[in-house]
Amino acid sequence: DTLLLQLMQRLYDARILSLIVEGGAVLLNSFIEKGLWDEARVLTGDMKIGEGLAAPVINNEVHAIDDFSGKDRLSVFVNKNSPYQYVEGMRL
């Protein structure tokens, strides 16, 4: 926990204000549980690959938009505690 917070502080001190996190359930849950996220993009397809790990549960989210490409759906959520709130009609 403290390692993640230290990392975020070092990035902030270096003026790196944007970070894309693409990882497994443990890494993603670490960011979600600490509230260290502004936006989540979830891509859902119609094909099931079999048994696997459950997707992380996003908390404090506000559903912003859904976009479709064929049978795939891109859902965008924003953290309701983030200072960077989605405004309807805003391009993400």
Side-chain angles (χ1 to χ4, degrees), residues 1 6-8 16 20 22 33-37 43 45 47 49-50 55 67 77 80 82 86 91:
D1 286 350
Q6 289 173 356
L7 170 66
M8 297 306 290
I16 298 172
I20 296 173
E22 182 178 4
E33 288 171 4
K34 292 288 183 201
L36 298 173
W37 68 282
L43 183 62
M47 183 175 27
I49 300 177
D67 194 13
F77 302 91
K80 68 180 177 183
S82 171
Y86 173 75
R91 291 184 52 93

Side-chain angles (χ1 to χ4, degrees), residues 52-63:
L53 298 175
V57 176
I58 302 171
N59 53 32
N60 292 325
E61 84 282 356
V62 174
H63 183 251

Side-chain angles (χ1 to χ4, degrees), residues 44-53 72:
T44 307
D46 70 335
M47 183 175 27
K48 196 168 195 175
I49 300 177
E51 299 299 319
L53 298 175
D72 296 334

